[in-house]
Amino acid sequence: CGVLQLGAAGGVRGRLLRPDGTVVPMALVESRRAGEEQWSGREMAMRGSFGLRGLEPGRYELRARALGGETGEPGDVVPVDVVGGETAVVDLTVAR
């Protein structure tokens, strides 16, 4: 049958902030592989933090959108490099 080798997955974790630096209580984090057009990997984030696991190594783009009474446009896109077996740390800022 042959040999099947699986590479180690990586992850990203971080904080969700408003432009003034305060914590966002509830948000949606979206991710995509760099160069792709479609956003996927939507994850609910609560209490100002998020975590994405099981990502294939490579370059990704992340953004966050506040939810609840603060729903708005997504914040700036943040690039991040995912390395197998490691967890990258980034802060995401919502648009308002």
Side-chain angles (χ1 to χ4, degrees):
C1 291
V3 176
L4 176 64
Q5 291 183 319
L6 300 176
V12 182
R13 68 177 172 83
R15 297 182 304 164
L16 298 159
L17 305 170
R18 292 184 185 97
D20 66 4
T22 59
V23 171
V24 177
M26 185 169 39
L28 180 67
V29 175
E30 299 172 304
S31 65
R32 67 182 177 192
R33 295 286 301 228
E36 291 184 2
E37 303 230 355
Q38 192 72 10
W39 289 95
S40 61
R42 293 179 177 94
E43 290 283 330
M44 282 294 297
M46 305 293 287
R47 296 182 291 282
S49 64
F50 73 95
L52 304 174
R53 297 181 183 160
L55 298 175
E56 196 174 301
R59 190 160 186 92
Y60 287 80
E61 296 175 331
L62 306 177
R63 68 182 183 184
R65 177 189 317 259
L67 295 176
E70 311 175 2
T71 302
E73 294 297 314
D76 293 335
V77 174
V78 176
V80 61
D81 291 315
V82 173
V83 176
E86 297 182 15
T87 301
V89 179
V90 298
D91 288 342
L92 299 179
T93 303
V94 298
R96 59 176 196 105

